Amino acid sequence: MSNKRASQGGSKKSTKKPRTVFKPCPIADSSDTLASAAPNISSTSNAPAAIPAAPTTTQHTRGYQVYSLSDGRLGMRHKDSSMQVESTTSTSAADSVNSAQTEAIVAAVFEGLSVEEAEGLHPDHQQHNFTKADAKRPRPELRASARVRDWVPHQTQFLDELLRFFGSEYAIDTGDVRCHGCDKSKASLRCTECECRKLFCKSCIVNRHKDLALHHIKTWDGDHFKRVSLESLGLIIQLGHDNETCDKPAETTRQIVVGDISGIHEVTVRFCECLDDTGDVLPQWTQLFRKGWFPATTKRPETAFTFRMLDIFQELNFQAKTNVYDYWRSLERVTDNSGGSTAIDRYKQFSHCVRLWRHLVMLKRGGRAHDPEGIANTKEGELALECPACPHPGKNLPPDWETSPAHIKWLYTLFLMIDANFRAKLKDRGLDDYELAPGWSYYVENSKFKAHVDAAGEQTEKNGCSAEHKAILNANLRREGYIASGVGVVLCTRHALIRKNTAGDIPLGEKYAIMDYLIFSTVLGVILALLLSYDIVCQWYKNLPRRIKELPPRLYYDLTATEVRYAIPKKHIRVHGPAHSRFSFNYLKNVGRTYGEGIEAQWAYLNPVSLSAREMGPGVRHEVLNDHWGAWNWQKIIDFAPRLLASLRDADKTYAAQHADYMDFSLSFTAQQVSKWMRAIHEWDEDPVHAPDPYEEPRTAVTLKSTRLQIADEEAEEIAAGTLPLHDVSPGVFLQLGLDLEEQQRNLRSKQSWGSRTEASLASIQEKRNALARRVDSWQTLQDLHMPIVAQIRVNGPPTSQPHASDRASVPAGTSPSPAIVPEHSHASAAPAPKSTSPNHSRKAEEILLWLPSALPVNLRSTLLAGLADKERRLRLAQADDSLEEIRRYRRILTGILEFKQLNVTGTGQKAGTKVRTLYTSFQDKIVRAAARYRAARSALETLDAGGDWERRFKVLLAADIRGPGRDSESNKPGEGRYEISWIWLVPNSAGELRNMAAHPDPAADTEEYLQNIAVEWAQSKARAERWGEEVKLLQEEMRRVIEYFRWKVQWWRDQAHLRDAPDAVTRGLGIYAARQAAIFEGLARRCVEMWFPYLKSRDGGVPVWMAPYATPDLIARVDGARTSRRRPRRAATALDSDDDTADEFSASEEES
Ligand SMILES: [Zn+2]
Ligand SMILES: [Zn+2]
Ligand SMILES: [Zn+2]
Ligand SMILES: [Zn+2]
Ligand SMILES: [Zn+2]
């Protein structure tokens, strides 16, 4: 046990290291630590004789393929295929030796040896004689199972070694072993913590452990070793003099319990009673503290915990969310798992010390020890970690930022998002609510906040938008026995760091008064332009000027003094009705590509801990959540270097593509037409409330939106009536999210089948896939509530071995998963989901079956909550309607493009013609997607409502049906005799309106209609290009700010070093700590420069001016030198690696073992 612990050492890095990326030769790769770590046991392996060398052999491998590794060794691919081993035509002796060796190695590999072992048989093997095709394979895989299989022949040895290790290297059972220390006495003791197995006598082992009092000692008991404490061997720890002798030791000793990562120890200490300069004896707790032991009390301490234990616990708590109780119980088991001895229970003391430790660490990192004003004068929010990428005047903005011209000043906008989480509840257990550091970091000071919330009382704001249902739902979530129903919080939208003074407990529903308080306490004193985003901002902002007056005067914010704009997070805007373009991140100017999706990840990070925090006292809960937010922010801060670089690469690429699209688009029209559209957009920018919205799609049927709203209204009523179970998300919203996911899966699949297979596009698909997998994951937790039956199906497959005939609704519409994208190990059989405890991880995100009601077999569907299947039916009807309308709309546009081309473009040259063709293709793609959606909706309806009324309207959509309106002029078949109108034009939309465009004879009217439709498409394309252009600028500004902030922080820490008058040793400690902090931030700044400089240099336009001061001649030389041997961009490599099952499985199996 303890050995395994020691070897894994709790280090995250060590488990990552063996990840091997095999690169095609000849690029040198020395990162193959796996091979070097493999034990060399060639002497004992059952090596087969080398097979006689045939000139050319085609080896049918047993599921492996052998190829050469970058460093010249052989690799093995887990794949059933045949492979040609090239013969060497050379007759030179050396070559034939090499060739023979190679083949012998190959033969050995086929016999079941690992490549490393096989090579071990022929250590001088250098050359690799395999076909170029094999050598060129970009990412050979060595699967986790193959690794295990390689290992199996060693298992006996491993097991024997294990027993040998815990036995004895010395023949203690047969006779006397002499002490390794003095060579005089009989030895019978050894230490399990010291990195040796040597045996010592009693006095030697006690001497060796004067500075290592927390080691576990074992003594020989005739036929085995048993635990014995150093204390019982006579070790008494003298305190007060760093383990050296004391002039005036206390007369009595005391036994105390010390908790450490190695277990729980009972030690005997002797306190020091020497007098210091002031004639005092050093307090006992201080004597323990100076040993690195945190005493549980200041009065006559009998329990202490080592600093390293508190440290490790805190990290485990952040990362694994291990709670105090579990950690303490594990520690008890580490100490003695035999069940023989009674546990020493210090759980309560440990819990107490953890609380103080969190507090002290936060004060230390905030520089409160360095401030002569002392802890008591800590300012509100001072201990929160600021986002270095956000603008902070005086820290990372140029001195003249306020007077900079408008085209630059927008870069200094502060983007903030507001959100609430209703899982972070708090039970009322009548616990004492003392809070350390109240309001000093992320939570607002509670008493002031509470006074404001109580005074605000019930608020009934008029709801003018359909999207407020969440708030309505949550208002009803009030439960007896809870103090808080959730937590409201503000993050920076672009980077998702928690802002200082921004979290508050929500007593009942999401009230504006609460959100007002949180947002204005975090922007207190901020003079930057603001962009506030919030799910229901369209309602929230309306009466803001009035409500601001109701805030405590100290929070007063002058909305007219700075520019304040409002937006709805991109994901949420879809549930708002029409007329919301002015809250859209897509259409607002100067917002870049700001979407604020980080809020979900932040809650996901916090949710496990907020569950356990429900039971805590209100004060402790604040301290714990504050601590976790601090850790979250810090992780984000140290991650800026790779993250911003990756974002900039992506933005550069996307901007180029979007800008080209937009230019092409514009060139398809006359300058006159384009400037007319430009004017319309400009007018809207100036006055978005009254000017016509250039982005609003002229849709005749938006039935999906209205059906969604209808269902939401009904659900709000049901909740009010108490007939609907209370979940955070209503069934209707849950289904809508499911349909959205299904759509995203379809899009990802089509991207894959059409997209190019370059590394970059694979990486971007992988990113999308990861993001989608996360979304599916969190949606499935909702599904567990709304469709509990599915949890079982996901693991075992449906009860019948055959998937239901019409679950095509959630499998690809019209396609079956192509063999290429079915994971190899899933043995695609009748069962739709592979049998696995976590199917999500073994499948690609776009292939995960969602198991919406329509995908369930009839017998299971009947077990669902009443009304769920019917809600899906209604949504599917709307989906079919909308998809059909979309097909018609895009068909109209296509027809328009062709007619427009004939009327306006003909004769303006070939270039314009090409542009038009590009345009045409892009709309065709949209039609294909809409058609796929229609088919999915229809096949779901077949299951949910077979033989229903809908069948008359929604026919099977064949590819040939997608034509019209009018005669297909593109088919160019003169004399095509009979023309039939496709049924798609004869379906009345939900309004019952039949737009028989098909028979429309008037080309002029067509063109007018076309121009109206296309203007929206053009405006959107323009907006896309502009947002990406802004993003490129914004990202560079953020890079600049991050480095500037780090450097400001370096200086700040240097300034803190010697502000205080303190005892020498404390002053020294303050200086050393400040220097270390400065070094950390200096390191962060350097890492940014070194990671970013090469890329920035390679871009058009070269290195930005702000980077110049950091670009040392040394760095420039290195970058120029490295350019000749350019490696794969780091980010692409990571993205691909995560696609690589090998790596994932490897680390996963490491964790399991
Ligand atoms: Zn000895
Ligand atoms: Zn030891
Ligand atoms: Zn002393
Ligand atoms: Zn930020
Ligand atoms: Zn709205």
Side-chain angles (χ1 to χ4, degrees):
M1 274 297 272
S2 61
N3 171 44
K4 188 184 135 202
R5 232 159 261 276
S7 69
Q8 295 197 336
S11 155
K12 272 177 271 172
K13 269 182 190 150
S14 68
T15 56
K16 276 203 170 155
K17 201 72 203 261
R19 164 174 295 206
T20 310
V21 183
F22 296 127
K23 296 190 181 116
C25 54
I27 301 165
D29 179 13
S30 56
S31 70
D32 191 0
T33 53
L34 177 70
S36 54
N40 185 357
I41 39 153
S42 55
S43 56
T44 51
S45 54
N46 51 340
I51 54 160
T56 300
T57 48
T58 298
Q59 303 278 7
H60 287 273
T61 70
R62 278 188 336 194
Y64 296 98
Q65 196 172 13
V66 181
Y67 55 88
S68 50
L69 282 173
S70 52
D71 57 359
R73 294 176 304 102
L74 296 181
M76 193 162 59
R77 184 179 294 125
H78 182 63
K79 191 179 180 183
D80 214 43
S81 61
S82 62
M83 177 204 64
Q84 212 177 36
V85 181
E86 211 178 60
S87 74
T88 44
T89 46
S90 162
T91 51
S92 93
D95 273 357
S96 51
V97 166
N98 269 335
S99 162
Q101 274 180 2
T102 301
E103 281 162 27
I105 289 166
V106 173
V109 169
F110 294 153
E111 288 302 317
L113 265 73
S114 76
V115 174
E116 287 81 5
E117 287 170 61
E119 270 192 333
L121 300 175
H122 300 272
D124 54 347
H125 171 81
Q126 291 292 321
Q127 206 170 327
H128 32 93
N129 297 326
F130 297 95
T131 55
K132 285 206 174 91
D134 283 320
K136 265 184 199 157
R137 300 272 181 154
R139 227 164 20 83
E141 286 161 1
L142 197 63
R143 294 192 166 276
S145 55
R147 282 199 183 98
V148 173
R149 213 170 332 195
D150 279 355
W151 176 83
V152 166
H154 308 313
Q155 60 182 344
T156 310
Q157 282 173 304
F158 267 70
L159 190 59
D160 286 352
E161 287 291 335
L162 200 60
L163 282 143
R164 173 177 176 153
F165 184 86
F166 288 112
S168 175
E169 279 303 303
Y170 309 97
I172 190 160
D173 48 339
T174 56
D176 287 355
V177 174
R178 299 188 74 78
C179 170
H180 256 95
C182 56
D183 201 30
K184 290 176 206 139
S185 320
K186 210 169 132 180
S188 63
L189 296 155
R190 74 174 185 211
C191 176
T192 55
E193 250 83 36
C194 286
E195 299 282 317
C196 73
R197 316 261 74 207
K198 291 174 204 161
L199 291 157
F200 296 95
C201 72
K202 186 168 150 184
S203 79
C204 284
I205 203 137
V206 169
N207 272 334
R208 276 170 67 89
H209 284 86
K210 266 194 171 153
D211 292 336
L212 302 165
L214 301 183
H215 277 194
H216 289 301
I217 308 298
K218 294 210 163 168
T219 181
W220 182 248
D221 194 29
D223 55 2
H224 70 284
F225 286 99
K226 69 171 189 191
R227 173 158 291 178
V228 60
S229 69
L230 276 165
E231 177 196 28
S232 69
L233 296 172
L235 181 67
I236 295 174
I237 296 154
Q238 176 59 55
L239 297 168
H241 300 271
D242 208 10
N243 298 338
E244 299 303 321
T245 47
C246 169
D247 292 339
K248 200 167 177 295
E251 279 172 15
T252 55
T253 59
R254 187 181 311 153
Q255 199 191 49
I256 63 169
V257 172
V258 179
D260 179 45
I261 45 176
S262 60
I264 303 158
H265 304 260
E266 284 171 288
V267 298
T268 304
V269 297
R270 192 188 293 278
F271 289 99
C272 153
E273 288 180 356
C274 300
L275 300 179
D276 65 12
D277 304 343
T278 56
D280 283 333
V281 172
L282 196 62
Q284 294 183 352
W285 75 263
T286 319
Q287 296 186 27
L288 290 170
F289 207 89
R290 289 196 186 164
K291 213 173 152 44
W293 295 355
F294 199 108
T297 165
T298 52
K299 289 174 213 135
R300 214 178 171 277
E302 289 178 346
T303 306
F305 305 96
T306 60
F307 292 176
R308 62 175 174 246
M309 174 188 181
L310 292 162
D311 236 355
I312 296 245
F313 169 74
Q314 207 185 5
E315 287 304 329
L316 271 174
N317 186 228
F318 291 148
Q319 183 65 36
K321 314 295 178 204
T322 308
N323 62 35
V324 175
Y325 179 83
D326 287 339
Y327 185 73
W328 185 260
R329 290 290 165 260
S330 310
L331 206 65
E332 284 179 350
R333 260 171 250 154
V334 169
T335 311
D336 185 356
N337 209 10
S338 66
S341 63
T342 45
I344 307 169
D345 192 354
R346 292 292 189 278
Y347 160 68
K348 284 205 180 86
Q349 289 87 335
F350 181 54
S351 178
H352 170 70
C353 289
V354 164
R355 195 174 168 190
L356 306 189
W357 183 256
R358 286 190 203 275
H359 179 60
L360 285 173
V361 168
M362 205 178 228
L363 289 171
K364 179 178 69 134
R365 291 188 182 146
R368 295 314 302 157
H370 293 74
D371 189 341
E373 300 281 305
I375 298 172
N377 285 305
T378 307
K379 290 185 222 38
E380 290 201 353
E382 191 180 347
L383 301 183
L385 290 170
E386 285 178 325
C387 175
C390 279
H392 302 281
K395 296 177 185 172
N396 63 2
L397 291 192
D400 61 345
W401 72 270
E402 256 188 300
T403 53
S404 52
H407 74 277
I408 290 179
K409 198 174 174 185
W410 72 269
L411 293 168
Y412 310 135
T413 304
L414 181 61
F415 295 82
L416 295 176
M417 60 179 159
I418 314 166
D419 197 27
N421 180 316
F422 291 94
R423 287 191 199 197
K425 298 183 188 344
L426 174 61
K427 280 188 189 157
D428 188 357
R429 299 176 64 213
L431 295 172
D432 155 49
D433 69 343
Y434 186 82
E435 182 177 354
L436 288 164
W440 292 359
S441 56
Y442 305 98
Y443 260 105
V444 290
E445 198 282 312
N446 206 40
S447 57
K448 284 181 246 167
F449 172 69
K450 229 173 148 277
H452 169 72
V453 173
D454 291 347
E458 295 288 337
Q459 280 178 317
T460 41
E461 290 273 348
K462 204 165 150 44
N463 175 22
C465 176
S466 50
E468 224 189 343
H469 301 293
K470 186 179 162 203
I472 295 169
L473 290 178
N474 291 330
N476 287 283
L477 279 176
R478 180 178 200 172
R479 285 191 201 162
E480 287 311 311
Y482 281 85
I483 299 174
S485 65
V487 175
V489 78
V490 180
L491 286 82
C492 61
T493 320
R494 290 183 54 82
H495 321 107
L497 275 83
I498 317 288
R499 287 274 304 182
K500 64 174 184 179
N501 266 354
T502 202
D505 290 334
I506 301 174
L508 37 143
E510 196 173 344
K511 287 195 295 192
Y512 290 158
I514 298 171
M515 295 305 168
D516 294 348
Y517 189 97
L518 299 180
I519 189 91
F520 291 105
S521 66
T522 201
V523 299
L524 192 62
V526 169
I527 45 171
L528 300 154
L530 294 177
L531 194 141
L532 306 176
S533 57
Y534 185 19
D535 286 354
I536 47 175
V537 88
C538 56
Q539 302 303 306
W540 178 76
Y541 95 106
K542 274 185 190 161
N543 293 313
L544 200 51
R546 173 178 60 73
R547 292 199 314 270
I548 277 192
K549 291 185 196 121
E550 292 162 11
L551 286 173
R554 69 190 172 88
L555 294 185
Y556 179 74
Y557 190 90
D558 186 356
L559 285 171
T560 56
T562 54
E563 187 193 8
V564 184
R565 296 189 293 160
Y566 308 93
I568 296 167
K570 197 192 178 196
K571 236 184 229 167
H572 202 259
I573 200 161
R574 274 176 297 177
V575 303
H576 290 252
H580 279 71
S581 295
R582 67 203 164 96
F583 300 111
S584 165
F585 276 113
N586 287 336
Y587 309 131
L588 282 169
K589 269 175 94 123
N590 294 338
V591 297
R593 295 276 301 177
T594 304
Y595 288 143
E597 288 181 3
I599 209 150
E600 288 168 32
Q602 184 270 140
W603 289 130
Y605 171 85
L606 208 66
N607 278 339
V609 72
S610 51
L611 280 180
S612 59
R614 272 181 198 187
E615 312 284 337
M616 296 175 181
V620 194
R621 175 166 164 278
H622 284 188
E623 294 164 18
V624 169
L625 295 183
N626 277 334
D627 204 24
H628 280 260
W629 278 319
W632 164 266
N633 278 9
W634 181 247
Q635 282 311 311
K636 292 258 156 192
I637 289 170
I638 57 178
D639 208 29
F640 268 118
R643 214 151 57 92
L644 285 179
L645 177 62
S647 303
L648 183 61
R649 280 179 196 279
D650 184 42
D652 275 341
K653 230 173 19 208
T654 318
Y655 171 62
Q658 294 289 353
H659 184 69
D661 274 4
Y662 163 61
M663 293 313 278
D664 283 359
F665 213 145
S666 301
L667 284 173
S668 312
F669 304 97
T670 59
Q672 216 180 351
Q673 186 63 54
V674 170
S675 66
K676 192 175 140 198
W677 289 338
M678 289 267 200
R679 263 198 313 280
I681 291 178
H682 183 72
E683 275 162 28
W684 183 82
D685 278 341
E686 295 293 302
D687 183 8
V689 180
H690 299 101
D693 184 345
Y695 304 108
E696 189 80 26
E697 292 181 3
R699 305 189 82 169
T700 48
V702 277
T703 53
L704 192 53
K705 260 180 200 164
S706 57
T707 307
R708 284 177 174 193
L709 298 180
Q710 223 172 19
I711 290 178
D713 280 339
E714 290 166 14
E715 283 176 345
E717 272 167 37
E718 284 175 72
I719 286 168
T723 51
L724 200 64
L726 286 172
H727 299 313
D728 289 358
V729 166
S730 72
V733 173
F734 154 72
L735 287 173
Q736 292 161 28
L737 293 171
L739 294 188
D740 284 351
L741 285 177
E742 197 184 271
E743 173 83 4
Q744 291 168 34
Q745 290 186 319
R746 262 196 304 274
N747 289 346
L748 195 54
R749 278 197 300 266
S750 70
K751 256 201 192 80
Q752 266 198 125
S753 51
W754 301 337
S756 65
R757 294 243 160 216
T758 62
E759 233 170 51
S761 80
L762 284 176
S764 111
I765 285 176
Q766 187 56 37
E767 272 160 41
K768 292 200 171 75
R769 180 178 289 149
N770 293 343
L772 182 55
R774 277 196 298 278
R775 271 176 239 140
V776 172
D777 251 349
S778 63
W779 180 78
Q780 282 176 343
T781 60
L782 294 176
Q783 192 171 34
D784 291 343
L785 293 173
H786 293 284
M787 301 173 70
I789 185 97
V790 176
Q792 248 172 300
I793 297 177
R794 260 185 245 128
V795 178
N796 302 321
T800 49
S801 63
Q802 287 291 334
H804 195 262
S806 46
D807 76 348
R808 262 177 302 140
S810 46
V811 193
T815 55
S816 55
S818 85
I821 53 173
V822 171
E824 278 176 45
H825 51 277
S826 78
H827 303 297
S829 65
K835 203 165 178 162
S836 153
T837 45
S838 54
N840 284 5
H841 302 295
S842 54
R843 319 203 92 195
K844 288 174 178 163
E846 65 273 24
E847 290 163 22
I848 301 168
L849 296 179
L850 297 179
W851 296 111
L852 286 165
S854 58
L856 292 178
V858 182
N859 56 331
L860 292 185
R861 211 180 312 137
S862 60
T863 67
L864 294 175
L865 186 72
L868 195 63
D870 190 59
K871 275 172 190 163
E872 187 190 346
R873 182 188 63 85
R874 288 163 63 194
L875 289 166
R876 291 292 188 181
L877 279 175
Q879 194 184 31
D881 236 341
D882 274 10
S883 309
L884 215 47
E885 174 58 24
E886 206 172 310
I887 293 171
R888 289 191 293 250
R889 192 167 90 84
Y890 287 128
R891 282 301 309 175
R892 279 194 291 271
I893 290 184
L894 282 188
T895 311
I897 289 176
L898 292 171
E899 284 172 8
F900 184 82
K901 187 186 156 210
Q902 280 159 10
L903 292 174
N904 302 300
V905 184
T906 320
T908 55
Q910 205 187 342
K911 194 171 177 202
T914 319
K915 306 285 176 220
V916 170
R917 247 190 309 281
T918 318
L919 206 57
Y920 193 89
T921 323
S922 80
F923 285 108
Q924 247 168 351
D925 290 351
K926 289 182 185 188
I927 291 179
V928 170
R929 256 183 263 161
R933 197 184 320 122
Y934 173 83
R935 291 182 184 120
R938 194 179 181 282
S939 79
L941 284 170
E942 276 176 341
T943 323
L944 293 167
D945 188 16
D949 219 17
W950 58 272
E951 284 186 356
R952 283 186 293 122
R953 293 169 61 212
F954 300 131
K955 308 217 163 88
V956 175
L957 181 67
L958 304 173
D961 297 332
I962 305 174
R963 60 171 198 268
R967 218 161 279 251
D968 254 355
S969 36
E970 75 253 44
S971 73
N972 254 346
K973 276 186 197 158
E976 193 181 71
R978 279 191 305 265
Y979 173 72
E980 270 181 56
I981 298 167
S982 167
W983 66 266
I984 62 170
W985 298 97
L986 304 172
V987 178
N989 65 24
S990 56
E993 178 187 351
L994 178 63
R995 290 162 51 90
N996 193 352
M997 282 285 297
H1000 212 305
D1002 178 7
D1006 275 358
T1007 306
E1008 198 43 48
E1009 162 124 29
Y1010 156 67
L1011 283 175
Q1012 268 171 22
N1013 277 320
I1014 202 99
V1016 174
E1017 299 290 334
W1018 177 85
Q1020 288 177 351
S1021 147
K1022 177 172 184 284
R1024 269 196 300 274
E1026 284 175 356
R1027 294 302 84 76
W1028 279 107
E1030 291 159 9
E1031 180 72 7
V1032 168
K1033 288 183 189 150
L1034 209 43
L1035 283 169
Q1036 289 179 78
E1037 163 65 10
E1038 284 168 344
M1039 287 174 144
R1040 187 195 66 75
R1041 288 204 288 250
V1042 166
I1043 297 182
E1044 276 294 295
Y1045 188 90
F1046 286 158
R1047 293 176 61 88
W1048 170 81
K1049 197 82 189 176
V1050 169
Q1051 196 49 50
W1052 186 85
W1053 270 114
R1054 289 197 180 128
D1055 293 345
Q1056 304 306 303
H1058 304 294
L1059 295 177
R1060 255 184 74 192
D1061 234 2
D1064 281 354
V1066 174
T1067 304
R1068 202 159 43 240
L1070 292 171
I1072 291 172
Y1073 184 75
R1076 194 180 77 109
Q1077 290 301 100
I1080 287 172
F1081 283 97
E1082 191 145 5
L1084 285 172
R1086 196 183 323 116
R1087 183 159 172 252
C1088 290
V1089 170
E1090 296 196 347
M1091 275 183 95
W1092 298 345
F1093 183 77
Y1095 179 69
L1096 289 172
K1097 197 171 181 217
S1098 71
R1099 293 170 84 241
D1100 296 340
V1103 184
V1105 187
W1106 56 264
M1107 182 57 112
Y1110 313 121
T1112 57
D1114 173 54
L1115 176 62
I1116 295 169
R1118 248 185 304 149
V1119 168
D1120 289 343
R1123 194 163 289 182
T1124 46
S1125 60
R1126 173 164 298 181
R1127 296 176 62 185
R1128 194 159 59 164
R1130 207 182 125 80
R1131 180 172 153 83
T1134 335
L1136 286 171
D1137 284 356
S1138 56
D1139 185 28
D1140 178 353
D1141 292 354
T1142 314
D1144 283 344
E1145 282 173 26
F1146 191 69
S1147 45
S1149 55
E1150 276 259 299
E1151 275 154 30
E1152 282 157 21
S1153 60

